[in-house]
Amino acid sequence: MSALLKPLLDAPLPDSHWAASAVAGPETGPLDGSIRVDVAVVGAGVTGLSTAIHLAEQGVRVAVLEAREPGFGGSGRNNGQIIPTLSRLDPVNLTAAYGEAKGSALARMVGGSAALVFDLIERYQMRCDGVQKGWIQPAHRPGRMKAAEQRVAQWRALGAEVALLDAAQTERALGTRFWHGAMVAPTGGHVNPLSLAREMARAALGLGVTIHSDTPAVSIGRAGTGWTLTTPRGSVTTDRVVLATNAYTDDLWPGLRRSVVPVLNFQMVTEPLPATLRASVLPSDMACSDTRGDLHFFRWTADNRLVSGCTLVRSADAERRARERTRERIRRVFPQIGNPAIARSWSGHLAMTADFRPHFHELAPGVTGAVGYNGRGMALGTAVGRELARHATGTGAQELALPFTPVKPLPFHDLVTRFSRLYMLHLRRLDRTD
C-alpha cells in the first residue's frame, strides 16, 4: 500500500452528515479462510456493489472484498448528486476520443446512468433519501450559455432527456439571479450517498453475494486459468476479478494507482434552515452544480439542511478555510440565507485523470478495472458496474459501452499528487472567461 493512501484507509469514517443520518450498514465481517467464487470484486463502493448486484441477478457467485466497510471511500463521502453527464466532457469529446460507435455508446450509458440509479433504488426499496427531481447545471457566465446550448443539442441527439432554461426559468428553479441560464436533466437527483452504498450492500447480500469488510486484498496472482486474491486472513480463488476502488486504489495492480490523481474535496452541511428559506432556495429541490471548474454545488437534505463544499489550493488550516469559503459562497449565491451556520464538515478524495475521461481497463485476461470518475462517480460508477458485470459474464469488449484502454501511469505521480491542488488556480482563471 502506498504511503499516501495508507493514512486514508487507517482513519475512521469521517463525522459527516451522511454518517450521522444514514441507515445502519448490514452485518459483514472479515474473510477468514479460503473461498472459491465465480467473480471477486475489490471495493464496496457503488461501482463494486453495482457489479455484484448485476452479477448476482444472473446467478453468478460473487464475493466482494472491502478494506474497511461498504461506502467507506468516496461513495459515502461525496455530495450525493446523481448526475447523468461527465465532468467537463460532452458526447462530441467522447466520439473524438473513441470513434463514433464506441464514443456514442459510452455517452448513451452516461446519459442513462441516473435513471439506472433510481431504478435500483425503487427495485430494491433502498432507504437513502432518494429525490429524483432533476439535476441542473447553471451557466456562471453569459458566454457559457452557448456551450450549454451545444451540450443540450448533443445529449438530445443521443436520446437523453435534457432541456435548456433561460435566465428567468433558472431563477425560478434555483431561487437566485446568480446564474444566466442552465441545462437540466430531469432523470438526475440526489441521495444520502452513504445510505445508498449501504443499501446496495444490503441488496447484494439478499441476492447471495458475500461481502467481506475489513478485508483488504493484499496480492493478486494467477491460479491456473483464474486468479487468487490473498487477504490478511484468507484467500479467494476466482475465474474473474473486478477492481473497483477509484480514488482509494492502492498498489494491488501495478501502475493503476499512479494513473489517477486523488484530489481532496470538502463537503459541509448547514444547520437546519427554516421552511420559508427552503421555499425560496432551490425551490425545485434539484441537485445543482454549475459550469465552473471550481464548482459551485448545492442541494437540500431531507431535514432542511443545505449541502455544499469546495476544493482548496493550499492545505494550511484547510478545514477552517473550507468552512469560511463555503459560507461565503452560500451568502453570495443565496443572499436570503444570510450568514449560515455550518453543522458539520468532512472531506474525501475523488480521482482525477489528465484527460478528464474515466478510464476502463482490461488489465489481464479475466481482470478488469475502472478508475478516474472526476467527481461524477455516483451515477457513472453504478452504470459502469453494470457493464463490468456484463463483461464478466461473457459479453465481449466490443459490445460493451466501455472503451478499454491501457493503463498509463502519470510521470512523477507522487509529485503531481502533492501539488494537484494548484491546478485549481488554473481552473479559477478559466472560470473568469467565456
Side-chain angles (χ1 to χ4, degrees):
M1 184 179 297
S2 75
L4 292 175
L5 184 66
K6 191 175 187 300
L8 304 183
L9 294 179
D10 286 346
L13 191 69
D15 181 27
S16 70
H17 178 71
W18 310 135
S21 60
V23 298
E27 289 294 326
T28 59
L31 173 64
D32 193 358
S34 299
I35 60 173
R36 176 73 168 84
V37 294
D38 300 320
V39 181
V41 177
V42 180
V46 294
T47 300
L49 293 169
S50 175
T51 303
I53 288 171
H54 285 97
L55 286 169
E57 286 177 337
Q58 301 176 65
V60 177
R61 295 178 301 160
V62 186
V64 178
L65 305 181
E66 166 56 46
R68 294 295 297 272
E69 62 179 279
F72 177 82
S75 292
R77 305 179 187 221
N78 64 85
N79 195 258
Q81 298 198 22
I82 307 300
I83 302 174
T85 68
L86 296 177
S87 176
R88 301 177 65 81
L89 297 177
D90 295 324
V92 67
N93 304 115
L94 302 181
T95 55
Y98 303 118
E100 185 65 34
K102 185 65 78 172
S104 294
L106 175 58
R108 288 191 181 93
M109 183 202 79
V110 172
S113 60
L116 173 63
V117 172
F118 286 103
D119 175 68
L120 287 173
I121 290 171
E122 182 178 3
R123 193 188 322 168
Y124 291 102
Q125 294 297 292
M126 297 180 183
R127 302 161 296 159
C128 61
D129 295 331
V131 175
Q132 191 179 21
K133 293 187 178 179
W135 168 74
I136 185 168
Q137 185 181 44
H140 75 281
R141 291 179 62 86
R144 297 294 175 100
M145 281 302 293
K146 184 63 176 178
E149 292 171 8
Q150 296 172 348
R151 183 170 296 126
V152 167
Q154 290 178 42
W155 284 109
R156 280 180 174 170
L158 292 170
E161 186 182 356
V162 294
L164 189 71
L165 303 186
D166 62 22
Q169 291 168 319
T170 301
E171 181 184 350
R172 287 194 293 272
L174 300 180
T176 177
R177 296 180 180 179
F178 188 75
W179 291 290
H180 304 276
M183 182 181 85
V184 173
T187 59
H190 52 82
V191 298
N192 178 323
L194 182 58
S195 283
L196 179 62
R198 288 175 173 177
E199 288 289 86
M200 290 179 77
R202 178 184 61 79
L205 290 167
L207 291 167
V209 174
T210 57
I211 299 176
H212 297 285
S213 55
D214 298 314
T215 303
V218 176
S219 67
I220 181 172
R222 280 287 194 181
T225 59
W227 298 87
T228 293
L229 290 158
T230 59
T231 71
R233 293 163 51 182
S235 65
V236 181
T237 303
T238 182
D239 298 323
R240 291 181 176 271
V241 177
V242 174
L243 304 181
T245 46
N246 200 31
Y248 293 76
T249 296
D250 60 13
D251 293 318
L252 179 66
W253 193 271
L256 189 59
R257 175 184 66 85
R258 301 174 70 85
S259 69
V260 296
V261 176
V263 175
L264 188 66
N265 185 251
F266 287 89
Q267 304 287 336
M268 50 205 70
V269 66
T270 67
E271 295 288 355
L273 296 172
T276 53
L277 283 176
R278 176 82 187 237
S280 71
V281 173
L282 299 180
S284 61
D285 203 10
M286 286 191 280
C288 171
S289 50
D290 72 3
T291 52
R292 286 175 171 80
D294 184 9
L295 276 180
H296 285 35
F297 52 92
F298 308 93
R299 51 146 304 186
W300 284 109
T301 66
D303 58 348
N304 290 349
R305 302 169 188 266
L306 194 65
V307 192
S308 188
C310 66
T311 300
L312 300 177
V313 173
R314 294 182 293 109
S315 58
D317 197 18
E319 184 171 345
R320 183 194 63 79
R321 291 175 47 246
R323 281 175 173 253
E324 287 308 308
R325 187 175 187 85
T326 302
R327 291 176 70 200
E328 188 275 332
R329 186 172 291 180
I330 293 172
R331 288 193 299 267
R332 183 158 34 91
V333 177
F334 302 107
Q336 62 268 48
I337 291 179
N339 196 24
I342 301 298
R344 280 188 170 89
S345 64
W346 63 97
S347 62
H349 284 78
L350 53 89
M352 301 293 292
T353 59
D355 56 15
F356 293 105
R357 299 195 294 266
H359 293 174
F360 314 110
H361 305 298
E362 191 166 22
L363 299 162
V367 183
T368 55
V371 293
Y373 295 156
N374 295 281
R376 293 288 170 86
M378 293 301 285
L380 176 60
T382 303
V384 168
R386 180 181 61 185
E387 291 296 292
L388 293 175
R390 291 180 62 212
H391 188 53
T393 52
T395 300
Q398 69 281 0
E399 299 177 56
L400 298 176
L402 308 180
F404 285 134
T405 58
V407 175
K408 294 182 179 179
L410 294 169
F412 309 108
H413 177 269
D414 288 349
L415 187 64
V416 170
T417 295
R418 292 185 187 279
F419 292 97
S420 61
R421 293 179 183 177
L422 294 177
Y423 184 65
M424 186 58 61
L425 292 174
H426 172 64
L427 294 180
R428 290 175 184 170
R429 282 194 294 269
L430 293 179
D431 288 342
R432 294 192 290 270
T433 70
D434 289 331

